[in-house]
């Protein structure tokens, strides 16, 4: 994974994990052990879904740049629908507190998206890929004609 991708993942996963840890501590005081477990499970699910989606989107951007924007929209829509399915599937569980689980999934997703938007605005992304330009070469000359 190139350093730009790693940096983007770090700038999105760390705030989400930190918010999940805070949610687990708060949930432990408010809803007990089941609340803390629900917060931890929800945080792990958000990190896996959104991190996997980011990795997939970065791969699509490098491999098929022409479908990058459409893939991004489809991916985020699919992720939100799958997270909704998780909330609905665990609505009546006895393993952990389902209300805490749902709240932390929503909060974690919002924090991930906000952190990703901030990371993209702060990133120094090249407009031209120098590696692709060097590989293409094609005998074209640069500079002015005399």
């Amino acid at each position: 994974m190139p350093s730009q991708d790693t940096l983007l993942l770090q700038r999105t996963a760390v705030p989400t994990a930190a918010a999940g840890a805070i949610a687990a501590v708060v949930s432990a005081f408010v809803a007990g052990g089941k609340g803390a477990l629900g917060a931890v499970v929800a945080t792990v699910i958000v990190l896996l879904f959104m991190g996997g989606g980011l990795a997939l989107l970065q791969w699509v951007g490098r491999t098929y740049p022409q479908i990058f924007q459409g893939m991004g929209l489809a991916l985020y829509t699919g992720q939100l629908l799958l997270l909704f399915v998780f909330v609905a599937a665990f609505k009546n569980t006895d393993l952990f507190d389902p209300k805490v689980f749902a709240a932390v999934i929503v909060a974690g997703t919002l924090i991930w998206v906000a952190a990703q938007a901030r990371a993209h605005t702060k990133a120094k992304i090249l407009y031209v890929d120098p590696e692709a330009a060097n590989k293409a070469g094609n005998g074209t000359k640069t500079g002015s004609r005399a």
Side-chain angles (χ1 to χ4, degrees), residues 5-88:
D5 296 344
T6 305
L7 188 60
L8 180 61
L9 182 62
Q10 178 185 359
R11 288 183 177 174
T12 53
V14 169
T16 305
I22 292 169
V25 170
V26 170
S27 298
F29 285 116
V30 174
K34 287 190 175 195
L37 181 61
V40 169
V41 170
T43 302
V44 169
I45 288 173
V46 168
L47 288 171
L48 289 176
F49 271 62
M50 301 305 273
L54 180 62
L56 177 65
L57 195 58
Q58 293 298 330
W59 176 80
V60 167
R62 283 189 305 273
T63 309
Y64 304 105
Q66 65 274 16
I67 65 167
F68 180 72
Q69 185 176 11
M71 181 65 177
L73 292 172
L75 179 70
Y76 286 125
T77 302
Q79 284 175 326
L80 292 177
L81 289 173
L82 282 173
L83 289 174
F84 177 73
V85 167
F86 263 92
V87 170

